[in-house]
Amino acid sequence: MKIFLITLTSFLFLSCVALAKKPNFVYIMVDDAGYGDFSCFGQKKFKTPNVDRMAKGGMKLTDFYASSTVCAPSRSSLMTGHHSGRGYIRGNKEIKPEGQHPLPMKAVTIPEVLKQSGYVSGMFGKWGLGAPGTEGDPMNQGFDRFYGLNCQRQSHNFYPTHVWSDRKKVMLDRKHYSHTLIADECLKFIRVNKDNPFFCYVPFTIPHAAMQSPEKRIAPWRKKFPEFEKVTGKYGGSVITNPVAAFAAMMEHMDEDVGRILDLLEELKIDDNTLVIFTSDNGGEMTPDYQGWNGPWRGSYFTAKEGSLRVPYIVRWPGKVPAGKVSNEIVHQFDLYATVANITGGKVPTDRIIDSKDMTDFFLGKQEESGRDGFVVYVGNDIHGVKWQNYKMMFKEFEGGLGTGKLNVFPMPHFYDLYVDPKEEYPVTKALGGILWQRWGHGPILVEHEKSLAEEPPIKPGTPDPYVPAKK
């Protein structure tokens, strides 16, 4: 009887430990992929079976928004829980000879929040938030392991002269495909930390230009897209023949590595204790159907149009997140911050305003609504409009939808009903009395936003570090 009680007690103890085990997080973010670049979001020219596998086993969001129209501010927002207007970084400002404008000492990143709860954090891919050795270096922002490219500019050649391993510069012979090196190190990190709670941030550099991939991968796609064999793509000194074939090869390669990550989680039997998210840092370059395709939305990155900001988002956690669910609830990129803090018991900083909303109950299917009705739309330091539900109110726009045309400032806001006008081509500017209810929805979002900025003014670009926000 005594032996039985001891055995039963041990079993119950181990069961409680298992139930209390903290979940792992894998956040996969590709670079410049459009809404329509994945078969589960409408891509027909090539397939992404492993991204589709995530969607089938998890929740697909069709109304998810990146924080910025370009790389660095989007990543800064993700790491700090700030919208891009309050963010520490609001542009792709480069520092010579390598790196970008750094996150300040004041920043409290997701890895730093998770460290309070005993997490180990690794980052594999493109950083872009601080040159090596600065306060913005990933190893100075809470990460325990870093492998990849610090500088955005250097990460856009897939056969680089070097990569960074933690604080060590590893020289290469320009014959190694950087994506493969990054994916392999990501898998090593997961395997090594299978018994520890971990946060694995995977900002893959695919499919940002230059369109480079090993020729053995491109060759089959050249046969599929022979009409582009006389087309050349030029970026950063690289000249690529048939960039459409190269793009498809890159996406196929990336998708395979998403599959390798999912397979490893299953092999290590930690699949049901790992929340995996897949997304893009901003929209694509807008080559319809083929390369950087933004699906039904108009506009490329650099603009405030849906094609620039609305990107794929998939949340997968077997047994926790409802499988096969599709939602058009609004979620924003910086909402990850409060969500992982809540799930892990980490503490969100109280000495500053955090714009992130906790999406835990929404992701887990405990509520149907995300709790976010909209947000203010920024391009750089400027407010361009407000998104509310499925409507947009725009104060200014670039002509042509590519971010290179003339910036038009409207005397009266333009309203778009994205249900009937997903490409934002037919603004409603007349019969304002009939759309007052739309203005009513947008107004409180903007008023609350401006009130928040008055309470805690954003850091002005170029402000010396260390910096303490002024509060009124």
Side-chain angles (χ1 to χ4, degrees):
M1 182 67 178
K2 184 176 180 180
I3 294 174
F4 171 76
L5 289 174
I6 292 172
T7 303
L8 179 61
T9 302
S10 299
F11 172 77
L12 291 173
F13 173 76
L14 291 172
S15 298
C16 290
V17 170
L19 288 172
K21 189 175 181 182
K22 293 175 180 174
N24 309 306
F25 298 91
V26 178
Y27 193 90
I28 305 169
M29 185 169 71
V30 291
D31 197 351
D32 286 5
Y35 185 96
D37 279 333
F38 307 90
S39 38
C40 56
F41 281 88
Q43 177 57 246
K44 303 296 184 186
K45 302 295 184 181
F46 54 83
K47 296 185 182 300
T48 52
N50 290 295
V51 174
D52 299 355
R53 171 183 165 191
M54 281 192 63
K56 189 176 294 184
M59 179 191 295
K60 183 175 81 168
L61 301 184
T62 60
D63 212 351
F64 174 84
Y65 287 84
S67 297
S68 177
T69 63
V70 292
C71 299
S74 185
R75 293 156 198 265
S76 171
S77 182
L78 169 69
M79 284 288 111
T80 63
H82 291 144
H83 64 67
S84 57
R86 194 194 308 283
Y88 300 118
I89 295 172
R90 284 166 238 151
N92 288 337
K93 182 181 178 181
E94 189 168 342
I95 293 176
K96 298 291 187 179
E98 177 177 5
Q100 278 69 42
H101 187 71
L103 284 174
M105 299 175 191
K106 180 73 177 177
V108 179
T109 62
I110 288 177
E112 290 172 321
V113 171
L114 294 180
K115 199 176 288 289
Q116 306 166 20
S117 301
Y119 276 72
V120 59
S121 296
M123 185 237 145
F124 305 90
K126 166 179 159 180
W127 178 237
L129 298 179
T134 67
E135 60 271 24
D137 187 310
M139 298 301 291
N140 294 333
Q141 290 290 340
F143 284 100
D144 303 289
R145 175 77 176 116
F146 166 50
Y147 187 92
L149 289 305
N150 177 292
C151 178
Q152 291 182 162
R153 176 177 51 82
Q154 294 182 359
S155 71
H156 301 156
N157 187 310
F158 287 82
Y159 295 93
T161 58
H162 65 276
V163 294
W164 287 90
S165 180
D166 297 339
R167 300 181 190 276
K168 182 181 178 182
K169 188 176 185 178
V170 179
M171 302 307 296
L172 301 174
D173 58 6
R174 306 207 74 163
K175 296 180 181 179
H176 291 81
Y177 193 61
S178 60
H179 172 83
T180 300
L181 299 175
I182 289 165
D184 289 348
E185 290 296 326
C186 165
L187 295 173
K188 288 179 187 177
F189 174 83
I190 293 173
R191 190 177 292 279
V192 167
N193 290 287
K194 63 183 178 64
D195 297 321
N196 307 312
F198 64 79
F199 171 58
C200 184
Y201 173 44
V202 194
F204 281 144
T205 51
I206 285 176
H208 196 293
M211 299 293 110
Q212 295 171 323
S213 185
E215 181 56 34
K216 65 181 180 181
R217 285 185 170 273
I218 300 177
W221 293 103
R222 292 189 188 282
K223 295 177 182 178
K224 182 163 180 133
F225 304 125
E227 66 271 33
F228 296 101
E229 275 301 299
K230 293 183 179 180
V231 176
T232 57
K234 298 178 181 180
Y235 188 88
S238 299
V239 179
I240 309 299
T241 302
N242 197 336
V244 171
F247 181 86
M250 293 169 76
M251 293 295 287
E252 180 183 58
H253 195 164
M254 176 278 300
D255 184 78
E256 288 176 5
D257 285 322
V258 170
R260 290 171 67 199
I261 292 171
L262 299 178
D263 290 345
L264 180 60
L265 295 174
E266 292 178 1
E267 175 195 328
L268 298 175
K269 302 190 185 321
I270 57 174
D271 184 47
D272 60 358
N273 195 45
T274 304
L275 173 63
V276 184
I277 291 175
F278 182 90
T279 188
S280 181
D281 64 339
N282 47 249
E285 292 184 81
M286 196 73 175
T287 304
D289 298 350
Y290 290 97
Q291 177 183 331
W293 182 46
N294 295 321
W297 318 114
R298 182 167 172 252
S300 72
Y301 52 28
F302 299 115
T303 76
K305 294 188 182 296
E306 292 291 286
S308 173
L309 296 169
R310 191 184 291 212
V311 295
Y313 200 80
I314 301 170
V315 185
R316 178 184 182 269
W317 190 359
K320 306 289 193 307
V321 172
K325 186 172 183 177
V326 179
S327 175
N328 66 350
E329 285 290 299
I330 295 175
V331 177
H332 211 284
Q333 187 177 38
F334 51 70
D335 290 329
L336 181 73
Y337 193 92
T339 305
V340 297
N342 178 51
I343 292 174
T344 63
K347 295 180 180 179
V348 172
T350 57
D351 64 340
R352 69 202 68 192
I353 293 175
I354 297 294
D355 303 294
S356 179
K357 281 184 177 289
D358 177 17
M359 295 290 164
T360 304
D361 288 346
F362 172 62
F363 284 168
L364 298 183
K366 296 180 180 179
Q367 63 186 47
E368 289 299 312
E369 296 182 352
S370 69
R372 182 177 290 287
D373 282 337
F375 53 91
V376 174
V377 179
Y378 273 84
V379 175
N381 292 304
D382 299 328
I383 295 175
H384 276 223
V386 180
K387 171 77 187 289
W388 172 66
Q389 295 185 5
N390 211 54
Y391 304 90
K392 286 177 80 173
M393 176 174 71
M394 301 303 295
F395 308 118
K396 56 182 75 172
E397 287 180 337
F398 287 107
E399 287 184 359
L402 297 175
T404 55
K406 177 186 175 184
L407 179 63
N408 292 321
V409 179
F410 307 130
M412 289 290 291
H414 283 195
F415 290 88
Y416 295 98
D417 180 348
L418 298 173
Y419 283 120
V420 299
D421 183 20
K423 295 189 182 299
E424 302 169 78
E425 294 176 313
Y426 308 106
V428 179
T429 55
K430 298 180 180 179
L432 289 179
I435 58 169
L436 280 177
W437 68 275
Q438 292 183 22
R439 299 180 69 185
W440 178 259
H442 292 88
I445 294 173
L446 184 59
V447 169
E448 185 64 28
H449 178 77
E450 291 180 338
K451 179 181 175 182
S452 171
L453 293 181
E455 181 181 348
E456 186 177 297
I459 299 176
K460 294 181 180 179
T463 300
D465 199 26
Y467 172 79
V468 178
K471 288 197 174 183
K472 294 185 178 180

